[in-house]
Amino acid sequence: MSEQTTPPAVIHFYSTAGEYGCLSNFSRHSIFLKGKRWPTSEHYFQAQKFAGQSDEEEVRKANKPMLAASMGRDRKRPLRRDWEGVKEQVMLEALRAKFTQHEGLKAILLGTGEAVLVEHTANDSYWGDGGDGSGKNRLGQLLMRVRAEFRGSLATPPSGG
């Protein structure tokens, strides 16, 4: 009989090669949203900065998530005016799609138990922890929200409206 392992109280993730690399937006798990297949949740997220513009499709077709990310951060491209107000909702939509459309990933997310999920990187103090814990860790927080929704401990808001 194998012992059941308890997940750690805090799970740091960043590299897709790491133990919880599937939590990264760069993990190679495609999602289907807005009538299209997106190679990764990063592709979807970055492309939504240009929703309805030709740049959206260019980002979707990027051959790697890092390229999609750099295209999305290119301020020569016309960022949608409401981006700051909608970016967290866009990320949540991408995460819900990713973890709903891939049962194995959903099982891994649920298997994190009550652990605090932290995107550990000095490269990002908004979505990540800033490398030293000073960041907002919004990606980790949204992943924990999706995990709670799957458990039924948080009602999923109605779509539309």
Side-chain angles (χ1 to χ4, degrees), residues 10-16 18-26 95 98-99 109 112 116-121 127-129 137-144:
V10 177
I11 293 173
H12 290 101
F13 66 94
Y14 183 68
S15 168
T16 57
E19 183 180 359
Y20 289 95
C22 66
L23 300 180
S24 166
N25 285 326
F26 283 45
L95 295 174
K98 177 178 173 179
F99 290 94
L109 182 61
T112 62
V116 175
L117 304 178
V118 178
E119 185 184 36
H120 183 57
T121 174
W127 296 108
D129 69 351
N137 187 38
R138 292 302 296 146
L139 179 59
Q141 290 176 16
L142 291 176
L143 283 164
M144 290 183 284

Side-chain angles (χ1 to χ4, degrees), residues 38 42-51 55-56 59-60:
W38 304 84
E42 185 71 15
H43 281 78
Y44 179 78
F45 176 77
Q46 295 295 343
Q48 295 319 296
K49 293 177 176 180
F50 318 109
D55 294 279
E56 178 183 11
V59 174
R60 186 179 76 85

